[in-house]
Amino acid sequence: AVEKRAQNLSFNEAVAKMILSLNVKKIAEISPSRDEAWVIKAKEYIAANYHTRLTVEQIAGALHVDRQYLRNLFVKYTGMSTKQYLDFYRMKRAEELLCITQNEVNVIAASVGYSDSLAFSKAFKKHYGVSPTKYRNKLLENNYEPIY
C-alpha cells in the first residue's frame, strides 16, 4: 500500500510538472523575451518609416541599441539581418503597390524608400526574378492573383 501511494505521488508530481511547464511555455509565447521585444520594436519602426531613405543605423539609433546587436537579434529571430528584413519589407510593399495601383514604377520606387528607380528595379528583379513592369504584366494576365 505504501509503494502504491508512492507511485501515485510520483505520477501526480509528474502531471503537475507537465502542466506547469505548459503554462510557462504559454506565458513565454504571450510575452516576448527582452531580446525579441527589440526585434518587434525594430519591425514596427521599419513599418512606420520604410518609405523614407531609412538605414539600419537610423533604426538602431531610434531604438538606442547597438547596430550589430540588433543585427544579431534579427538573425536569431527572423533568419535575416536587419538590412535584409528592411529590403524584404520594402519589396513586399512594392509588390502590393504594383497589385493595387497603376502608379509608375518610379513612383512606387519612391514610395518604398528608393530615390533611384533603377536601383529599385534591380532590387525588385533580384528579389522576384522579374522586373517590376513584367511582374505587373503577369499580374494583369492572372487577374491580379499573386504570382510569387
Side-chain angles (χ1 to χ4, degrees):
V2 172
E3 193 175 303
K4 183 80 166 166
R5 189 170 170 205
Q7 285 177 342
N8 285 343
L9 282 174
S10 293
F11 176 76
N12 290 341
E13 210 172 71
V15 169
K17 284 181 181 178
M18 184 178 75
I19 290 169
L20 285 173
S21 74
L22 291 174
N23 287 335
V24 168
K25 285 181 183 175
K26 277 188 176 179
I27 290 168
E29 290 170 8
I30 293 169
S31 62
S33 69
R34 183 179 63 98
D35 287 348
E36 192 174 8
W38 285 119
V39 174
I40 292 167
K41 287 177 185 177
K43 284 180 172 183
E44 290 169 352
Y45 189 83
I46 289 168
N49 296 286
Y50 73 93
H51 60 283
T52 67
R53 296 213 42 180
L54 185 62
T55 65
V56 173
E57 289 79 13
Q58 289 170 323
I59 299 165
L63 298 176
H64 307 289
V65 66
D66 180 70
R67 179 183 190 272
Q68 188 62 40
Y69 177 69
L70 185 61
R71 181 195 187 285
N72 292 342
L73 293 178
F74 257 88
V75 170
K76 179 179 178 181
Y77 289 101
T78 69
M80 57 182 99
S81 70
T82 317
K83 174 76 168 105
Q84 288 170 325
Y85 181 83
L86 174 60
D87 292 343
F88 168 79
Y89 192 88
R90 285 178 165 153
M91 289 300 111
K92 294 309 281 179
R93 298 293 79 76
E95 177 189 26
E96 289 174 6
L97 291 171
L98 285 168
C99 290
I100 63 172
T101 72
Q102 293 302 314
N103 292 340
E104 297 290 328
V105 171
N106 63 332
V107 173
I108 291 173
S111 60
V112 297
Y114 284 84
S115 59
D116 179 1
S117 60
L118 181 59
F120 165 74
S121 292
K122 285 181 178 179
F124 191 92
K125 186 171 184 174
K126 182 178 178 185
H127 189 83
Y128 288 102
V130 293
S131 70
T133 303
K134 284 186 180 177
Y135 188 91
R136 179 179 272 160
N137 290 339
K138 287 189 181 272
L139 283 171
L140 290 169
E141 291 170 14
N142 293 327
N143 295 319
Y144 288 96
E145 290 294 322
I147 53 177
Y148 297 102

